[in-house]
Amino acid sequence: MQKVNVAKKILSANEEYAFKNILILTEHKTLCLNMISSPGSGKTTILTRTINELKDQIKIGVIEGDIQTDIDAEKIRATKAPVVQINTDGACHLSAAQVNKALKNLPISELDLIFIENVGNLVCPSAFELGEAGKIVVLSVAEGDDKPAKYPVIFAKSKVLLINKIDLLNAEALVDFDIERVEADARKLNKGIEIFPISAKTGEGITNWYNWLIKSVKKSSV
Amino acid sequence: MQKVNVAKKILSANEEYAFKNILILTEHKTLCLNMISSPGSGKTTILTRTINELKDQIKIGVIEGDIQTDIDAEKIRATKAPVVQINTDGACHLSAAQVNKALKNLPISELDLIFIENVGNLVCPSAFELGEAGKIVVLSVAEGDDKPAKYPVIFAKSKVLLINKIDLLNAEALVDFDIERVEADARKLNKGIEIFPISAKTGEGITNWYNWLIKSVKKSSV
C-alpha cells in the first residue's frame, strides 16, 4: 500500500500557486512583501503611515489578510491605496492560492509595491510561501525581547525586522526591552537581516525603513 | 473509494487524550486552566506573580508549552513551583497527548491547580481541547482594543479574559486602548466571561484575579 504524505501534498499545492504569483509579480516588475507578526504589533499602522508618507514616490497596493472582519482593510482604504481583503474564515495564515486570487483584483500594472498583511500570528504564516520577494517581521517592544529566541523561524526567514513602538521605551522606562539582545539574537539566526527600530505612531526611525523600501522598489523595477 | 477526513481524525485523537486528562484531573480534584494569548502578552509574568503571591493558599504546578527553548520554564522554576516543559518543535499549539505525558511528570496529587501555558498564538491553540476546566485568554493593552473583534474564537471560548499591562494606560496615555470597547466586544461573544484588567508588573487589579482563582480552586476540590 502506498503512503500519502498529506502535509507535503498541501505544501506542494501552495508552492504551485506561490510560483504562479512570482511569475505575475515579475512580469509587472512589482515588488511584493509579506508582513508577518503577532496580533497587535502594529502592522496596519506601519502600512497606513508608509503609504501616506511615500505616496508621491511609490505606488503601493495592499492584500489584507484577516480571520474575519475588514477592520484593517478599512484603515488602508482611508489612504486611498488599492486594497483587497481576504478573510480566512478561521485559518491561521494566508495561502498562495488566496493571494493569487487577490492579485487578480489589484491593478498590478500600476503598482510598484504590494504589501501582503498576513493574519496576526508569529508561527504559522512563516511556513507558507506566498510568492513574495521577501518577508518583513514586525516585533513590538511591548512583546518582550525574548521573541527571536522563542519563535526563531520567522526571524530566520525575514529580510527585514521592524522593531515597532519604540516610543514606549523612551518615557519613564515603562517597557523593559533590550534592543541589543533582539538584534544579536536575530542576527544569530539570520546574518543578512536588516533591522530598523521604529515608532509607526511618532515616526521615530521610520526614514530608515522608507529608504530601504525605495531602494528595494528601484531594484525590482529594472 | 472511501474518503478519509484527516482533519477530523486528528481532532478525534486529540479529544480522546483530552478526555483521559479530564479523568486524571477529576480523580485528583485538581483544577486545570489553559492560558492562551499572543506572544508577549505577559502569560509567564502573570504566572510567576500569581504563584509567588498565592503560594501559601494554593499549590500550583505548571505545564509550559513553547516551540523551542525553556526560557519561560526557567522563570517558573525560580518560583519553586513544579514545572514540566513541552517543546512542540515548530507546532503552533499544544496537543492533549503532550499534556497527558506532562501530567504524568507532575505531582498531581499534591497540586490544587495546574496552569497550562500554551504556545504564544491567539488562533491555533483555541481549536485544541487539552482536558482543561477552562481557558484563560490574556490580552495586553499594547496589542490594541480590536482583538476580540478580529480573533473572536478564543474570546468566545474562555472563562476569563485578563487585560494585562494596564500600567501602560496610566502614564501619559502612551497606549490608546478602550477597555470598555474590549469588554463590550468580549461580552457580545461570551456573556459569562469574567474580565479582570490587571498589571502583572505593578500588581494593579490582580487581587480580583486571585479571588476568582481561589474561589474556582475551592469549587473543584469538593
Side-chain angles (χ1 to χ4, degrees):
Chain A
M1 208 176 79
Q2 217 190 328
K3 276 195 185 172
V4 179
N5 187 331
V6 176
K8 203 175 164 197
K9 275 229 157 178
I10 292 169
L11 266 187
S12 300
N14 189 71
E15 280 162 2
E16 258 177 55
Y17 273 104
F19 186 64
K20 284 184 195 179
N21 296 344
I22 290 172
L23 293 181
I24 297 169
L25 292 159
T26 311
E27 185 195 331
H28 291 90
K29 296 182 178 175
T30 302
L31 181 68
C32 180
L33 298 171
N34 180 6
M35 195 171 262
I36 295 174
S37 79
S38 300
S41 66
K43 293 186 293 305
T44 314
T45 308
I46 292 170
L47 289 182
T48 52
R49 188 170 193 126
T50 301
I51 293 166
N52 281 327
E53 299 195 335
L54 294 184
K55 62 169 55 155
D56 296 332
Q57 297 171 72
I58 307 180
K59 281 170 189 156
I60 301 177
V62 177
I63 295 172
E64 189 59 53
D66 282 295
I67 291 178
Q68 49 192 74
T69 79
D70 64 347
I71 294 174
D72 291 350
E74 277 304 314
K75 291 178 188 163
I76 302 292
R77 236 168 250 135
T79 69
K80 309 263 168 72
V83 55
V84 174
Q85 172 78 56
I86 301 173
N87 280 323
T88 65
D89 280 335
C92 53
H93 63 90
L94 287 176
S95 72
Q98 290 169 327
V99 169
N100 186 262
K101 208 170 156 186
L103 284 174
K104 289 171 185 160
N105 290 301
L106 276 177
I108 308 183
S109 54
E110 297 165 19
L111 298 174
D112 304 311
L113 169 59
I114 294 171
F115 280 112
I116 301 169
E117 183 176 345
N118 220 310
V119 175
N121 187 321
L122 206 54
V123 185
C124 314
S126 61
F128 291 83
E129 298 298 320
L130 304 179
E132 71 271 19
K135 293 177 177 58
I136 311 292
V137 58
V138 182
L139 176 67
S140 145
V141 299
E143 292 170 50
D145 50 25
D146 57 357
K147 294 305 165 290
K150 291 182 62 188
Y151 302 86
V153 178
I154 185 58
F155 293 89
K157 286 192 174 182
S158 292
K159 284 216 166 148
V160 172
L161 161 58
L162 294 177
I163 301 175
N164 193 27
K165 306 195 187 178
I166 57 168
D167 52 295
L168 293 179
L169 299 180
N170 303 337
E172 300 177 35
L174 281 175
V175 173
D176 308 316
F177 185 91
D178 182 347
I179 285 199
E180 286 174 15
R181 176 187 174 186
V182 168
E183 293 190 345
D185 283 356
R187 288 195 211 285
K188 247 184 261 168
L189 296 160
N190 182 343
K191 265 191 192 169
I193 195 167
E194 301 269 4
I195 303 176
F196 305 121
I198 64 168
S199 166
K201 191 175 175 185
T202 67
E204 193 180 344
I206 207 155
T207 313
N208 299 321
W209 159 240
Y210 293 163
N211 289 341
W212 181 88
L213 271 181
I214 292 166
K215 198 181 67 187
S216 303
V217 164
K218 271 187 195 153
K219 262 196 224 165
S220 68
S221 69
V222 288
Chain B
M1 207 175 78
Q2 216 189 332
K3 274 195 188 175
V4 179
N5 186 331
V6 177
K8 203 175 164 197
K9 275 227 156 177
I10 292 168
L11 267 186
S12 300
N14 188 72
E15 280 163 2
E16 258 177 55
Y17 273 104
F19 186 63
K20 284 185 194 176
N21 296 344
I22 290 172
L23 292 181
I24 297 169
L25 291 159
T26 311
E27 185 196 331
H28 292 91
K29 296 183 178 175
T30 302
L31 181 68
C32 180
L33 299 171
N34 180 7
M35 196 172 261
I36 295 174
S37 79
S38 300
S41 67
K43 293 185 293 303
T44 314
T45 308
I46 292 169
L47 288 182
T48 52
R49 186 169 194 126
T50 301
I51 292 166
N52 281 328
E53 298 194 335
L54 293 185
K55 62 170 55 155
D56 296 333
Q57 296 172 72
I58 307 181
K59 282 173 189 154
I60 301 177
V62 177
I63 296 173
E64 189 59 53
D66 282 295
I67 290 178
Q68 49 194 76
T69 80
D70 63 347
I71 294 174
D72 291 350
E74 277 305 312
K75 291 180 188 163
I76 302 291
R77 236 168 250 136
T79 69
K80 309 262 168 71
V83 55
V84 174
Q85 172 78 57
I86 301 173
N87 279 324
T88 65
D89 280 333
C92 53
H93 63 89
L94 288 176
S95 72
Q98 290 168 327
V99 169
N100 187 262
K101 207 170 157 187
L103 283 174
K104 289 171 185 163
N105 290 302
L106 277 177
I108 308 184
S109 54
E110 297 164 21
L111 298 174
D112 304 312
L113 168 61
I114 294 173
F115 279 112
I116 301 171
E117 183 176 344
N118 221 310
V119 175
N121 187 322
L122 205 55
V123 184
C124 313
S126 61
F128 291 82
E129 297 298 319
L130 304 178
E132 73 272 18
K135 293 178 178 58
I136 312 293
V137 58
V138 182
L139 176 67
S140 145
V141 298
E143 292 170 51
D145 50 24
D146 57 357
K147 295 303 165 291
K150 290 183 63 189
Y151 302 86
V153 176
I154 185 57
F155 293 89
K157 284 191 174 181
S158 292
K159 283 216 168 149
V160 172
L161 160 58
L162 295 177
I163 301 175
N164 193 26
K165 306 194 188 180
I166 56 168
D167 51 295
L168 293 179
L169 299 180
N170 303 337
E172 300 177 33
L174 282 175
V175 173
D176 308 316
F177 185 93
D178 182 347
I179 286 198
E180 286 174 17
R181 177 188 173 185
V182 168
E183 293 190 346
D185 283 357
R187 288 196 211 285
K188 248 183 260 169
L189 295 160
N190 182 343
K191 265 190 194 170
I193 195 166
E194 300 269 4
I195 303 176
F196 305 121
I198 64 168
S199 166
K201 192 174 175 185
T202 67
E204 192 180 344
I206 207 155
T207 312
N208 299 321
W209 158 241
Y210 293 162
N211 289 341
W212 182 87
L213 271 182
I214 292 165
K215 196 181 66 188
S216 303
V217 163
K218 269 188 197 153
K219 261 195 223 166
S220 67
S221 68
V222 287

